[in-house]
Amino acid sequence: MAFELPALPYAYDALEPYIDARTMEIHHGKHHAGYTNNLNNALAGTALEGSSIEDILKGLDMNNAALRNNGGGFYNHALFWEVMHPESNESVSGALQEALLAEFGSLASFKIAFSKAAATRFGSGWAWLCVHKGGKVSVCSTPNQDNPLMPGVGCGGTPILGLDVWEHAYYLHYQNRRPDYVNAFFSVINWGEVERRYQANR
Ligand code: MN
């Protein structure tokens, strides 16, 4: 079975004013759709056809540029849509909150660490919060469409929160003001989904 572009779990304009509708429409309908189609093309006729995206990424030949870029792009964006929500009024709680406090000392310090990872990624890439076996969490960033599941990227663990810092994710509304976009992201985080992913992968 070929991979399919997942439907957005909310309307294109649902994340306004933090992320504008036109950006969401192009990002989902063009960019994510493109990664999905190109992933299917890269897999067609190979032994990996039918594998889960997680297994494909964990066992990835990093020299396979088509699979690396498009498999990463497919997975990263699917996670990105799910960890955002227009009603981000629920705050972090439970075991995830405890893990964040244990690692960063405070939620404010976590936000600073995550924002720094997003702001200092030169060029295109992603900032991540990952969970490791045993429940520890960490922040890192990756270039391009790489992600922490891929071998040797230096993050480790399973990503449970990701922020796209490619210019296509923010340029229409924020132009070169990436820090403003990163700050706005914290207003639309779906902490319930992040907590669910923490529990499932700890
Ligand atoms: Mn993107």
Side-chain angles (χ1 to χ4, degrees):
M1 276 299 290
F3 289 103
E4 292 182 6
L5 176 67
L8 264 194
Y10 35 74
Y12 286 132
D13 64 356
L15 303 179
E16 298 241 10
Y18 306 105
I19 302 180
D20 65 284
R22 184 73 176 134
T23 294
M24 289 297 293
E25 189 177 351
I26 297 169
H27 202 174
H28 178 262
K30 303 292 184 192
H31 290 277
H32 197 188
Y35 294 123
T36 306
N37 289 337
N38 291 333
L39 169 62
N40 287 327
N41 290 339
L43 288 171
T46 75
L48 290 170
E49 239 180 339
S51 298
S52 73
I53 187 63
E54 289 83 2
D55 286 346
I56 290 170
L57 297 179
K58 287 174 183 174
L60 186 66
D61 169 6
M62 296 295 271
N63 293 316
N64 185 335
L67 204 49
R68 180 177 179 176
N69 292 333
N70 296 295
F74 173 77
Y75 174 90
N76 294 347
H77 290 86
L79 181 148
F80 187 47
W81 313 137
E82 290 188 10
V83 298
M84 295 191 289
H85 195 276
E87 286 155 33
S88 174
N89 42 19
E90 53 182 329
S91 62
V92 60
S93 63
L96 173 58
Q97 182 180 29
E98 288 174 25
L100 288 169
L101 293 178
E103 184 64 24
F104 300 101
S106 70
L107 297 178
S109 295
F110 157 69
K111 181 178 176 180
I112 289 169
F114 188 89
S115 298
K116 185 180 177 188
T120 58
R121 165 52 54 194
F122 183 76
S124 299
W126 291 74
W128 303 103
L129 174 67
C130 295
V131 61
H132 304 261
K133 287 300 174 194
K136 180 181 157 71
V137 290
S138 65
V139 160
C140 70
S141 80
T142 55
N144 303 315
Q145 294 297 353
D146 287 356
N147 72 55
L149 295 180
M150 294 177 179
V153 298
C155 288
T158 303
I160 59 175
L161 176 67
L163 174 59
D164 188 341
V165 295
W166 284 58
E167 284 189 344
H168 70 224
Y170 64 86
Y171 204 84
L172 284 180
H173 186 70
Y174 292 96
Q175 292 83 50
N176 63 330
R177 303 189 309 279
R178 187 192 288 186
D180 291 353
Y181 160 71
V182 172
N183 193 52
F185 174 67
F186 283 88
S187 294
V188 294
I189 293 177
N190 181 353
W191 282 112
E193 173 63 14
V194 182
E195 167 87 15
R196 188 192 69 73
R197 289 171 179 264
Y198 175 80
Q199 294 288 2
N201 294 286
R202 62 188 296 192

